Amino acid sequence: MNTAGTAQATGGLKTLVIAEKPSVALDIVRALTPVTGKFDKHDDHYENDQYVVTSAVGHLVEITAPEAYDVKRGKWSFAHLPVIPPHFELKPIDKTKSRLNAVVKLARRKDVGTLVNACDAGREGELIFRLIEQYAGGTDKAGQPKPLGKPVKRLWLQSMTPQAIREGFEQLRSDEQMRPLADAARSRSEADWLVGINGTRAMTAFNSRDGGFFLTTVGRVQTPTLAIVVEREEQIRAFRPRDFWEVHATFAVQAGTYPGRWFDPAFLKPQGDAADPERKPERLWSEAEARAIAQAVRGQPASVSEESKPTTQACGLLYDLTSLQREANSRFGFSAKTTLALAQSLYEKHKALTYPRTDSRALPEDYLGTVRHTLQALAGSPLAHLAPHAQVALDQGYVRPTKRVFDNAKVSDHFAIIPTPQVPHGLSEAEQKLYDLVVRRFIAVFYPAAEFLVTTRITQVAVEGAVHHFKTEGKVLVKLGWMAVYGKEAAADVEGARPGDKGQSLVPVQPGEPVRTEAARVDAKQTRPPARYNEATLLAAMEGAGKMVDDEELRSAMADKGLGTPATRAAIIEGLIAEKYLLRDGRELIPTAKAFQLMTLLRGLGVEELSKPELTGEWEHKLSLMERGQLSREAFMREIAAMTERIVRKAKEYDRDTVPGDYATLTAPCPQCGGVVKENYRRYACTGPGGAGPGCGFSLPKSPGGRVFELDEVETLLRTHRIGPLEGFRSKAGWPFSAELTIAPDTSGQWKLEFDFGDDRPTEDGALADLSGREPLGPCPKCGAPVVEHGSHYVCSRAVPTVEQPTPSCDFKSATTILQQPIAPEQMAKLLATGKTDWLEGFVSNRTRRPFKAALVWDAEAGRVGFAFEPREGARSPARRTAPRASAARRAAPKR
């Protein structure tokens, strides 16, 4: 390995190698040590006579607009839009600032002559390094970046074996070779900023025209993802169930009986856009016809023909992050965010898995030796449920260089997630589950395919010139193959199937044997709406979003991309939940009224491209052209600027009274005149007794205090004239608050909406609260300041704007009523003094509507008030919960 060349070319100066992660920096040091000499370890780098090796921890800096263009949230109005700065500045990411300073200090060292970009091989790794290099160069007096002035080389690795790393250093790529990829990386980052910032501020400004601050976030990835869920919910709402019938028969032969289901052999699958997807060969749309068939075949003789075919089923591919998140969500109910956190812990803390943020499901072709070494470690491990299977794979020589597993063409920035030779100990239950999932797949992927015998039996019953056909399918497992690694878990689909399923075992029928229709029944059924998305199915939809794109060129550009990356998809889903666009109900993800309102707005303003995956497809197509040198960065950014200006202009110039959309007619009458209340974009308004006139003038805003009403909430409010307390409101000063809402006539007899939160009113109006004279209940568990009763909450005296402290510095807050249970001041005092209230019996679950008994406790780790439940018999201590019964926990201590 010619490593001296770099040092000679720079006059004896050292080469600084910047990796993306500390673990990769250590791998590089270990690979270089045999050929360049021992490295000394320092706090933030490794160093020998030729190399200084350090690392980032992902992104260390982020792009931002120059200060003159950085419009603060309180000034989000059309007057300041669009924001298209002439250039972008960089700012450190707060939590990694010390790491950035360390890397920059090394880059500026006078004895460092060359930089090597050893960040991950791909667009994002290129961006991480380029931004660090730019930040290290600093800026001139005009704020423009200055070059650092040191030559740059690129280490491009697909494999992390020591030999692959050494070979990579012998074939470093030049800065010029990497320039197109760097341009594409910067362009994608800046374009996301421009569209996200301007789109969010334009939609927020539009929705805040009537006063208040109604944050409406949009983004190139988050909004199309939300659109997928909203469109599915629209299908569910529009779905009307239809009745259909099936005929099931039982046939008797010498060896016993077997089931069969009637079907139409002449059935043709519906074609075209107008085709009815509910039509299937086994469905009958007339009950009379179904009963006639059942009556006709009962007790009648039948003839049988059958066909048996051998078939095989291979094990699933190795996991990438998205497929691992989907599997963990389906099997264990883990959220995508939880799975990523567990995988990251197994990678970083336990060194038990390889890098998890990958979109590849294959391994490099030079990884056979590494795989065998890992299998040997697993075979010799104390993992009794897995070790024998690893040993079998080694003894039988199952590890072979198949393209299904080892394929450089299918390895992108990273390879598939597999276990390392370091078998972990002391894992949490959740970590162990995820680790086992990865290890089973890693072992099983090398095993032979499972073998089945699939039998299709057609039973024909001829009655008075008509022939009725019944189908029976059976699937018999002949050889376990890879299923041996999973045991009963995998074979259950075949061996544990119920009668009528594909997996059933069939009694034999001899050639020419008489068959009799022993029984026949009619099953009445209904068509079902499409299922709501859960995290597993939404991750799949994001990954396959390119299939939804009509344009073939754009679809091709998205073939391996989808919406977001494996590393960002979990954060996108969590962001949609945090922004109150989605609710997590069990495993289902349900779009809120705010989500429907955003889609209505984008459609109405004519900027639907923000909600379509085509935008990502178009960008990916153009960025791939840029990476090949066929499109300039300047031309792409000009197009992005033009698109940004058009989005802002469309929102700014919209002058109709309402945005067109599919709006609801409420069942609750107008409280003022008894007329029909209808929804429009901004309000729920009375339209008179017939529902078609101007009405009596009564109306409700759809988003008071920046929080969008759900339809059932409006119905409740109109019927009972009161609802709450509800969370998620924001004052004009931007402070979050909770309140009840009421409707009542004012002095002129006009019914109006009011916030009912007692002493909270001054805070809602943006004025300062007066807490003088309030009796302190105890010290705040967060900051020690006095806690007092304030309106509908117990609050830290530093958590509301007061004369003494206009800007709140604490966020402790707990409602005076939680899940219909009043919390008396003496109970709050007891909580503050001891950390726990008495057992209270009046809580009512939001989900089940059932009462339950619990105590409120202060959970210091979560930083909020939560529940404790009485121990059941045999239990050692009460369960403590802050996240389950999430609505109550949030109401007890809302996060800021």
Side-chain angles (χ1 to χ4, degrees):
M1 176 178 174
N2 182 19
T3 56
T6 305
Q8 291 167 358
T10 55
L13 298 177
K14 295 186 178 184
T15 296
L16 174 64
V17 180
I18 302 177
E20 189 169 320
K21 300 174 289 291
S23 61
V24 175
L26 183 58
D27 288 339
I28 290 171
V29 166
R30 287 169 174 163
L32 293 182
T33 296
V35 290
T36 67
K38 183 177 180 294
F39 282 78
D40 294 324
K41 186 178 185 305
H42 300 269
D43 287 345
D44 46 42
H45 68 281
Y46 303 86
E47 187 169 356
N48 67 10
D49 292 339
Q50 291 177 247
Y51 289 98
V52 180
V53 181
T54 189
S55 76
V57 279
H59 281 279
L60 300 184
V61 289
E62 57 189 353
I63 65 167
T64 182
E67 192 171 338
Y69 290 82
D70 187 18
V71 183
K72 302 301 180 190
R73 187 178 73 183
K75 296 180 181 177
W76 285 12
S77 69
F78 287 119
H80 301 279
L81 297 176
V83 182
I84 303 179
H87 66 277
F88 285 95
E89 294 177 356
L90 301 178
K91 69 172 183 180
I93 294 171
D94 287 339
K95 66 179 181 180
T96 55
K97 202 169 183 177
S98 60
R99 171 64 72 165
L100 173 64
N101 291 337
V103 176
V104 166
K105 185 177 178 182
L106 293 171
R108 290 174 177 171
R109 266 174 46 171
K110 291 183 179 179
D111 64 338
V112 167
T114 302
L115 304 185
V116 171
N117 176 5
C119 293
D120 295 339
R123 194 188 292 162
E124 209 59 28
E126 197 67 24
L127 181 66
I128 288 170
F129 173 84
R130 296 288 174 170
L131 295 185
I132 294 172
E133 182 204 11
Q134 177 185 329
Y135 188 83
T139 57
D140 59 22
K141 290 181 180 179
Q144 295 285 354
K146 291 189 305 184
L148 185 61
K150 298 184 180 183
V152 171
K153 300 286 185 182
R154 183 60 153 111
L155 178 67
W156 193 264
L157 297 176
Q158 298 287 17
S159 169
M160 288 303 297
T161 63
Q163 184 59 33
I165 292 171
R166 288 191 284 268
E167 289 173 0
F169 271 92
E170 290 175 354
Q171 301 163 20
L172 292 174
R173 299 184 182 185
S174 70
D175 186 49
E176 201 57 39
Q177 283 177 286
M178 304 311 300
R179 185 64 55 186
L181 181 64
D183 284 349
R186 283 184 185 274
S187 298
R188 197 276 309 151
S189 179
E190 292 173 10
D192 268 342
W193 191 98
L194 286 170
V195 170
I197 291 291
N198 284 282
T200 293
R201 293 181 181 187
M203 300 309 134
T204 299
F206 185 92
N207 280 332
S208 304
R209 273 176 166 169
D210 292 343
F213 179 75
F214 182 44
L215 180 61
T216 311
T217 58
V218 298
R220 176 180 62 90
V221 177
Q222 83 161 38
T223 309
T225 300
L226 181 62
I228 290 170
V229 184
V230 169
E231 286 169 12
R232 173 65 59 84
E233 193 69 19
E234 287 173 337
Q235 292 170 5
I236 293 170
R237 291 184 180 185
F239 184 83
R240 298 294 176 266
R242 293 153 61 191
D243 295 328
F244 69 90
W245 291 264
E246 292 181 352
V247 179
H248 293 262
T250 302
F251 300 99
V253 292
Q254 289 177 10
T257 60
Y258 65 88
R261 180 168 60 179
W262 178 93
F263 75 102
D264 178 5
F267 177 83
L268 295 175
K269 190 175 181 180
Q271 302 291 327
D273 294 340
D276 182 355
E278 299 292 356
R279 293 207 160 285
K280 296 182 179 178
E282 67 275 8
R283 292 182 174 178
L284 291 155
W285 299 94
S286 161
E287 183 180 10
E289 184 181 359
R291 295 204 175 281
I293 292 172
Q295 180 64 31
V297 300
R298 282 192 193 104
Q300 298 297 319
S303 60
V304 171
S305 62
E306 69 179 27
E307 185 179 60
S308 295
K309 289 182 179 178
T311 186
T312 60
Q313 180 185 336
C315 174
L317 297 174
L318 294 171
Y319 290 117
D320 63 2
L321 179 57
T322 302
S323 58
L324 181 62
Q325 286 169 322
R326 288 168 55 191
E327 185 95 358
N329 182 257
S330 297
R331 284 178 181 268
F332 313 128
F334 293 166
S335 70
K337 179 182 177 183
T338 298
T339 298
L340 176 55
L342 292 170
Q344 199 71 21
S345 173
L346 288 164
Y347 163 67
E348 287 181 358
K349 179 182 174 184
H350 299 286
K351 307 289 189 292
L353 293 185
T354 57
Y355 186 65
R357 296 169 185 257
T358 175
D359 62 356
S360 174
R361 305 189 70 175
L363 298 176
E365 291 167 13
D366 63 357
Y367 243 60
L368 264 82
T370 303
V371 164
R372 291 192 179 107
H373 178 50
T374 302
L375 283 170
Q376 285 166 356
L378 291 169
S381 76
L383 301 173
H385 58 302
L386 298 171
H389 301 299
Q391 190 63 56
V392 168
L394 291 167
D395 294 346
Q396 299 298 320
Y398 286 159
V399 182
R400 302 185 185 97
T402 59
K403 282 288 184 184
R404 192 167 184 270
V405 179
F406 303 98
D407 189 348
N408 287 347
K410 293 176 184 172
V411 173
S412 54
D413 300 5
H414 311 280
F415 51 77
I417 303 170
I418 60 171
T420 67
Q422 187 165 321
V423 179
H425 304 282
L427 299 183
S428 69
E429 183 183 353
E431 287 172 334
Q432 189 69 52
K433 283 181 176 179
L434 200 73
Y435 179 71
D436 285 359
L437 207 60
V438 174
V439 173
R440 280 189 197 279
R441 179 63 59 89
F442 171 71
I443 298 172
V445 78
F446 299 107
Y447 270 60
E451 296 179 15
F452 301 91
L453 188 65
V454 177
T455 300
T456 303
R457 180 178 295 171
I458 305 297
T459 306
Q460 299 181 44
V461 185
V463 183
E464 299 177 359
V467 179
H468 300 288
H469 297 76
F470 292 81
K471 182 184 285 188
T472 312
E473 293 180 299
K475 191 176 184 181
V476 178
L477 182 61
V478 178
K479 285 188 180 177
L480 275 170
W482 63 270
M483 286 187 174
V485 181
Y486 287 82
K488 294 178 181 178
E489 183 183 341
D493 290 339
V494 178
E495 297 175 344
R498 294 165 300 178
D501 289 347
K502 256 188 180 180
Q504 66 196 316
S505 298
L506 298 181
V507 298
V509 180
Q510 303 304 322
E513 180 186 347
V515 178
R516 189 174 67 85
T517 313
E518 191 172 78
R521 73 175 193 275
V522 174
D523 285 355
K525 298 189 175 184
Q526 276 192 333
T527 56
R528 294 182 179 180
R532 281 196 175 108
Y533 281 103
N534 55 37
E535 288 205 34
T537 54
L538 183 55
L539 286 166
M542 293 174 76
E543 187 177 39
K547 296 171 186 173
M548 306 173 189
V549 175
D550 294 330
D551 185 282
E552 188 173 339
E553 198 171 34
L554 301 186
R555 188 164 62 246
S556 174
M558 287 185 72
D560 299 318
K561 303 288 182 184
L563 288 171
T565 66
T568 62
R569 284 175 190 140
I572 292 294
I573 295 172
E574 292 298 326
L576 289 169
I577 293 169
E579 289 293 343
K580 304 294 190 290
Y581 283 124
L582 293 180
L583 289 174
R584 199 185 257 121
D585 184 13
R587 294 194 183 186
E588 291 184 334
L589 296 171
I590 303 173
T592 63
K594 183 179 178 182
F596 282 95
Q597 188 175 23
L598 175 61
M599 293 305 141
T600 298
L601 178 59
L602 297 179
R603 293 164 188 163
L605 296 182
V607 289
E608 275 191 280
E609 64 264 37
L610 283 177
S611 66
K612 299 290 184 185
E614 279 88 345
L615 180 60
T616 288
E618 188 177 330
W619 284 20
E620 287 298 339
H621 172 60
K622 289 177 178 174
L623 291 172
S624 65
L625 291 178
M626 196 183 300
E627 289 176 11
R628 298 196 296 269
Q630 297 170 5
L631 178 68
S632 73
R633 170 164 151 72
E634 292 71 26
F636 177 79
M637 293 310 299
R638 277 196 302 272
E639 289 183 24
I640 297 300
M643 173 189 162
T644 301
E645 289 171 340
R646 191 182 73 81
I647 290 169
V648 172
R649 188 175 64 253
K650 286 267 195 179
K652 190 184 292 188
E653 295 176 355
Y654 193 87
D655 59 359
R656 279 177 278 173
D657 291 337
T658 188
V659 177
D662 181 17
Y663 296 118
T665 298
L666 277 66
T667 58
C670 169
Q672 188 161 287
C673 73
V676 177
V677 178
K678 289 188 176 181
E679 175 191 15
N680 60 41
Y681 181 70
R682 294 191 185 280
R683 309 185 74 79
Y684 292 96
C686 176
T687 56
C696 65
F698 169 78
S699 70
L700 294 172
K702 285 178 72 173
S703 51
R707 180 195 186 279
V708 183
F709 273 128
E710 295 291 333
L711 202 58
D712 62 335
E713 291 174 345
V714 181
E715 296 274 15
T716 300
L717 181 60
L718 291 178
R719 282 201 176 90
T720 66
H721 303 169
R722 175 176 288 273
I723 190 170
L726 301 177
E727 280 194 342
F729 301 107
R730 281 190 178 270
S731 70
K732 292 172 185 174
W735 193 61
F737 66 92
S738 303
E740 293 189 10
L741 292 101
T742 63
I743 49 172
D746 60 13
T747 53
S748 67
Q750 186 73 27
W751 284 63
K752 299 215 177 220
L753 177 72
E754 294 284 349
F755 285 105
D756 182 7
F757 47 150
D759 295 334
D760 284 355
R761 182 182 303 280
T763 301
E764 158 60 8
D765 291 340
L768 301 176
D770 181 9
L771 300 182
S772 60
R774 305 293 173 89
E775 182 181 348
L777 298 172
C780 171
K782 287 194 167 186
C783 72
V787 172
V788 298
E789 186 173 355
H790 179 57
S792 58
H793 285 82
Y794 299 109
V795 299
C796 172
S797 52
R798 293 177 183 167
V800 294
T802 60
V803 176
E804 295 78 14
Q805 184 175 316
T807 302
S809 61
C810 184
D811 64 358
F812 176 79
K813 189 177 185 185
S814 184
T816 55
T817 299
I818 298 175
L819 294 182
Q820 303 182 34
Q821 166 71 60
I823 310 300
E826 54 268 25
Q827 290 296 335
M828 178 50 60
K830 189 166 187 176
L831 172 70
L832 297 172
T834 67
K836 183 179 178 182
T837 66
D838 295 331
W839 297 109
L840 306 174
E841 298 190 352
F843 296 106
V844 178
S845 168
N846 266 339
R847 183 170 297 173
T848 65
R849 302 297 176 192
R850 292 177 181 170
F852 66 92
K853 183 179 181 180
L856 296 181
V857 294
W858 171 248
D859 187 330
E861 186 178 342
R864 62 170 65 180
V865 173
F867 288 118
F869 300 99
E870 283 192 302
R872 295 177 182 174
E873 263 186 69
R876 286 177 294 179
S877 62
R880 180 172 294 192
R881 295 185 188 172
T882 55
R885 306 188 188 277
S887 59
R890 283 196 297 270
R891 188 151 40 237
K895 289 282 187 183
R896 295 294 184 267

